[in-house]
Amino acid sequence: MSAPAPSPLALAHVDPARVPARQDEVLTDAALAFLAELHHRFTPRRDELLARRAERRAEIARTSTLDFLPETAHIRADDSWRVAEAPAALTDRRVEITGPTDRKMTINALNSGAKVWLADFEDASAPTWENVITGQLNLTDAYERRIDFTDPRSGKSYALKDAAELATVVMRPRGWHLDERHLTVDGKPVPGALVDFGLYFFRNAQRLLDLGKGPYFYLPKTESHLEARLWNDVFVFAQDYVGIPRGTVRATVLIETITAAYEMEEILYELRDHASGLNAGRWDYLFSIVKNFRDGGAKFVLPDRNAVTMTAPFMRAYTELLVRTCHKRGAHAIGGMAAFIPNRRDPEANEKALAKVANDKDREAGDGFDGSWVAHPDLVPIARASFDAVLGDRPNQKERLREDVDVKAAALIAIDSLEAKPTYQGLVDAVQVGIRYIEAWLRGLGAVAIFGLMEDAATAEISRSQIWQWVDAGVVFEEDGHAGEKVTAELVRSVAATALADIRAEAGEEAFAAGRWQQAHDLLLQVALDADYADFLTLPAYAVLEG
C-alpha cells in the first residue's frame, strides 16, 4: 500500500475582517502544498533541536563553561575544505542596510546605495499576519518593479531607482523557536522559519535567477551546527522541489548566540555548498551570553549594555575569531550594526554620533571584515567610506587570513574582564527601552526609534535579561547616589512604575490610552522577574499580539 497523503495546511485564527489584501496571491494551492511538505519533512527535526537547546542550557547551568566541540575537531583541523564561491551579486558586501519589509522601507532600502538589504521578517518585524503576508507581496512587487509608496502624512512619493543601483536582497526568516499560528497542520502550527523561507523561496527563486541574482538568506538565532545542517537539508529539498540547481541558495549565518560562537567552522562546514558568510550580531550575542550564564554568579554579570562595546576583550575575541574563521574557509565576514538615527535638529550631537559610527566602521574594516550593517540610509556613505579606504577596488578582503588570531575557549566568556559595573541609570534605561519597545511590538512594529537609536527585538531581549540577571545575582550599585542599593524585584517594579508614569505624562492621556502601555509594562515585568525564565520574550508576547 502507498503511504497516506500528508495532512494539508489549514488557515487558522485569521479575523475575516482583517484578511490582508491580496492574500490569495501569496497563499496559492501550490505554495501551501510546498509549505506542507516542508512542515512534514523538517518540523520533527526542528522540535528535536529545540529540545537539545534546553539540554545544552542545563549543562551550561551545571558547569558554567563552554568549549570547542571535541567530536568535531577533525572538521576544524582539516584545512582542505572551503565554502562555495560567492555568486556575483554577493561578492561585494561592503555596506548592508537592515530593516522590515513594509512598503516604504522596501523602496528606501533598495534605493539606499547599500550593496545588500537584509529584508527582515525576524527581529525588525512583529509577526502580525498582515506583516507576514504584505512583506512577501512587497518583495515580489519590488522584483517585478510594480511597487511605489506615497506617505499619507507628507505626501512624498517613493519609487525604485534603476535596477543596476538597487541593493541585493538577503531575506531573514524567523528563528527556529517561533511558530506561525495562522498556518497549522492537524492543529499544530507550522514553524515561522519554514513559512517565511518557504513562501519567499517558492514565489521568488526562479524570478530572482531571471534577474541575475538568487534566493539569498540570513539565518538567525542559530545555536549549533546541527541546526545549520537542518537548514542545509531544507535548502537541498527546496531546490530539488522547484527544479533549480543545488547551490543556488546562499545563506549567511548570524553568529548571535554564544553556543554558535564555539561552532563557527562546523556551521560553515554543514552549509558549505550554500554558505556565503557569517555575521557578528552584537545585541543578540550579549542576550545569549546572559541567557545561558544568567545564574552563573558575579563573574558573568554584564554591566549596562551601552558599556559593553565591541572593544571589550571578550567581544574582540568573538569578532576576531569570526573574521579568522570566515577567511580561512573562503566566506565573507560581516560586521555589526550602526543603529544611530541621524538627528538634524542637534548638529553638534549628530556630528559626535556620526564620528562614533565612522570609528566603529573603521575598526571593522581594519580588522578584516568584508562589510558591515547600518540601520539608516544616511549611514550608508559613512560605512562605505570606511570600507572603501581599506578595500579600494577590491570587492572584499577574504585574502586577509588573520593567521595572527588564536582565540582560546575561555576568552569568549571572559565577562569578568570588564571593569564597568551595573549602574542605577543602566537599570532605568533597560526598563524604559523595554517598555517602549514591547509596546510598539504589540502594535505590530518591530523596528522602533527609541532615544535616537533604531531598536529591534534584540534590544528588548538584552534589556529584560540583564534585569533578570541583576536581580538573581543580587547586584549592588556602587556609584554615587545609589551606592549600596541592591537590585531587587521591588526596586525594578518601582522603576517600572515611574517609567510608565513618565510615558503617560510625555504622551498625554489620549495617546497613552490608545497605546498598549500597561500591557507592555506588565509583560516586561513578567519576562524580567519570573523565576521561570522565558527563552525569548517574543514567545509570551506573540500570545497577546493581535492580528
Side-chain angles (χ1 to χ4, degrees):
M1 295 178 61
S2 60
S7 301
L9 262 67
L11 193 60
H13 309 296
V14 177
D15 183 348
R18 301 176 67 175
V19 173
R22 301 169 59 198
Q23 173 180 282
D24 291 346
E25 291 182 35
V26 177
L27 302 182
T28 63
D29 289 344
L32 291 174
F34 178 59
L35 291 185
E37 287 288 348
L38 291 175
H39 175 76
H40 288 292
R41 288 172 180 267
F42 300 111
T43 297
R45 280 177 59 193
R46 189 284 305 249
D47 295 344
E48 292 171 3
L49 289 170
L50 292 185
R52 187 177 182 275
R53 286 183 179 183
E55 294 168 2
R56 195 171 195 188
R57 154 61 194 157
E59 180 68 9
I60 293 170
R62 186 182 68 83
T63 64
S64 292
T65 193
L66 275 169
D67 203 346
F68 301 108
L69 301 180
E71 64 267 29
T72 55
H74 63 286
I75 294 174
R76 299 192 299 275
D78 182 355
D79 290 334
S80 67
W81 64 269
R82 300 287 185 276
V83 302
E85 185 177 352
L90 290 178
T91 299
D92 189 335
R93 303 178 61 173
R94 67 188 68 200
V95 186
E96 303 192 353
I97 192 168
T98 71
T101 54
D102 61 87
R103 212 156 180 86
K104 180 180 176 181
M105 181 65 193
T106 296
I107 297 169
N108 283 345
L110 290 170
N111 286 345
S112 66
K115 293 291 186 179
V116 166
W117 170 37
L118 186 159
D120 200 5
F121 285 79
E122 201 233 0
D123 271 1
S125 179
T128 64
W129 189 233
E130 175 79 19
N131 287 344
V132 169
I133 295 298
T134 59
Q136 296 284 348
L137 287 165
N138 290 338
L139 292 175
T140 302
D141 285 352
Y143 300 146
E144 295 185 345
R145 299 196 65 86
R146 53 188 177 98
I147 188 171
D148 54 30
F149 178 79
T150 300
D151 192 317
R153 292 174 298 180
S154 67
K156 183 178 179 180
S157 295
Y158 300 81
L160 292 179
K161 296 179 179 178
D162 291 340
E165 300 179 66
L166 301 182
T168 294
V169 173
V170 180
M171 182 270 215
R172 179 163 69 169
R174 280 168 280 182
W176 282 125
H177 62 287
L178 288 167
D179 287 332
E180 176 48 70
R181 64 171 177 248
H182 299 96
L183 289 171
T184 64
V185 176
D186 296 330
K188 178 180 172 123
V190 179
L194 295 180
V195 173
D196 297 340
F197 163 81
L199 291 175
Y200 179 77
F201 179 88
F202 189 80
R203 289 167 54 78
N204 299 299
Q206 187 59 55
R207 180 180 286 110
L208 286 162
L209 288 174
D210 294 342
L211 292 171
K213 297 189 177 182
Y216 307 140
F217 299 92
Y218 259 109
L219 304 182
K221 307 291 192 290
T222 300
E223 296 198 15
S224 74
H225 70 286
L226 298 180
E227 295 179 16
R229 182 183 298 171
L230 174 56
W231 269 119
N232 195 73
D233 291 345
V234 170
F235 297 156
V236 170
F237 170 77
Q239 290 163 127
D240 291 349
Y241 188 96
V242 302
I244 63 175
R246 293 187 180 186
T248 301
V249 168
R250 285 292 192 276
T252 304
V253 181
L254 292 110
I255 303 299
E256 56 185 356
T257 67
I258 185 61
T259 53
Y262 287 87
E263 301 182 37
M264 293 189 205
E265 287 194 77
E266 293 91 332
I267 286 169
L268 286 177
Y269 180 81
E270 295 293 345
L271 286 159
R272 59 194 179 278
D273 294 333
H274 300 103
S276 65
L278 302 177
N279 167 270
R282 175 184 177 186
W283 293 133
D284 263 313
Y285 188 72
L286 292 175
F287 157 52
S288 177
I289 291 174
V290 175
K291 176 165 70 171
N292 280 285
F293 292 93
R294 61 185 180 268
D295 44 13
K299 67 179 292 189
F300 291 107
V301 171
L302 278 177
D304 305 2
R305 72 170 181 128
N306 290 331
V308 186
T309 68
M310 298 303 284
T311 59
F314 72 98
M315 295 299 280
R316 288 290 290 167
Y318 153 60
T319 56
E320 296 212 310
L321 179 61
L322 188 145
V323 173
R324 167 64 180 144
T325 301
C326 285
H327 290 183
K328 177 183 178 182
R329 302 304 183 180
H332 282 75
I334 307 300
M337 171 69 77
F340 172 66
I341 302 171
N343 180 3
R344 297 176 180 86
R345 292 191 297 270
D346 189 343
E348 184 177 350
N350 198 59
E351 185 175 349
K352 289 180 180 178
L354 292 178
K356 186 177 179 181
V357 171
N359 288 337
D360 188 51
K361 300 310 173 189
D362 287 347
R363 174 188 52 77
E364 289 181 326
D367 283 348
F369 281 96
D370 302 293
S372 190
W373 281 6
V374 299
H376 192 282
D378 285 358
L379 303 183
V380 169
I382 295 172
R384 186 171 58 232
S386 293
F387 281 88
D388 285 351
V390 171
L391 296 178
D393 294 333
R394 296 176 297 159
N396 54 64
Q397 52 181 332
K398 289 193 288 188
E399 77 282 355
R400 280 192 66 191
L401 297 181
R402 291 304 311 271
E403 292 176 325
D404 57 302
V405 171
D406 182 21
V407 173
K408 305 302 183 185
L412 293 169
I413 51 173
I415 312 304
D416 54 355
S417 63
L418 290 171
E419 295 183 3
K421 302 294 183 182
T423 69
Y424 180 83
Q425 187 59 49
L427 175 63
V428 171
D429 290 345
V431 169
Q432 281 270 11
V433 170
I435 292 175
R436 289 168 187 265
Y437 181 83
I438 293 171
E439 192 277 335
W441 196 93
L442 293 174
R443 289 187 288 108
L445 300 175
V448 187
I450 303 176
F451 304 144
L453 297 175
M454 186 59 71
E455 308 285 21
D456 66 12
T459 304
E461 291 284 25
I462 183 63
S463 296
R464 66 95 180 189
S465 297
Q466 286 198 279
I467 296 169
W468 195 101
Q469 184 187 47
W470 291 4
V471 172
D472 183 75
V475 163
V476 176
F477 296 130
E478 299 177 8
E479 79 269 25
D480 292 344
H482 295 279
E485 190 169 2
K486 185 177 180 180
V487 182
T488 63
E490 291 71 27
L491 176 62
V492 173
R493 291 189 183 98
S494 174
V495 170
T498 300
L500 193 64
D502 290 345
I503 290 168
R504 183 191 294 268
E506 173 190 319
E509 288 297 331
E510 185 176 348
F512 184 87
R516 302 185 67 177
W517 295 105
Q518 186 66 52
Q519 194 172 25
H521 163 279
D522 296 348
L523 184 56
L524 175 69
L525 292 183
Q526 174 188 331
V527 295
L529 297 179
D530 276 7
D532 186 10
Y533 178 92
D535 283 341
F536 296 92
L537 75 81
T538 47
L539 294 173
Y542 188 50
V544 295
L545 180 68
E546 295 181 359

